[in-house]
């Protein structure tokens, strides 16, 4: 796991998007920009990419970007 703390923080767990094998990996992404809790807290920005093995679904890596995302990275790790 790696994290840096500009504004917003950046983190990475396991394999990064650039390191994935496009033929053997699936990547899902979710934006935090339109989630109600994020909007109410005025922290409605950020993105999470989650990379998994295309065959068995094993999580291979994640890249959260946004406010307090280092905590999410820690949970994923």
């Amino acid at each position: 796991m790696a994290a840096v703390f500009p504004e917003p923080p950046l983190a990475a767990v396991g394999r990064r998007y650039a390191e994935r094998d496009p033929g053997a990996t699936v990547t899902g992404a979710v934006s935090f920009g339109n989630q109600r809790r994020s909007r109410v807290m005025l922290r409605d920005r950020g993105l999470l990419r989650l990379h998994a093995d295309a065959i068995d679904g094993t999580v291979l890596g994640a890249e959260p970007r946004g406010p307090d995302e280092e905590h999410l990275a820690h949970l994923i790790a």
Side-chain angles (χ1 to χ4, degrees), residues 22-54:
T25 307
V26 293
T27 298
V30 63
S31 169
F32 296 108
N34 196 26
Q35 293 185 354
R36 292 180 183 165
R37 182 175 181 173
S38 298
R39 288 187 311 198
V40 168
M41 296 173 66
L42 300 177
R43 303 189 83 174
D44 54 344
R45 63 182 195 267
L47 175 74
L48 169 65
R49 283 188 186 155
L50 192 66
H51 320 298
D53 183 280

Side-chain angles (χ1 to χ4, degrees), residues 1-2 11-16 51 59-64 72-74 76-77:
M1 183 180 130
V13 178
R15 291 189 196 160
R16 297 178 182 179
H51 320 298
V59 174
L60 302 173
E63 294 171 290
L72 182 58
H74 183 251
I76 293 169

Side-chain angles (χ1 to χ4, degrees), residues 3-27:
V4 292
F5 299 97
E7 187 53 43
L10 310 170
V13 178
R15 291 189 196 160
R16 297 178 182 179
Y17 185 77
E19 299 170 339
R20 79 198 193 300
D21 178 358
T25 307
V26 293
T27 298

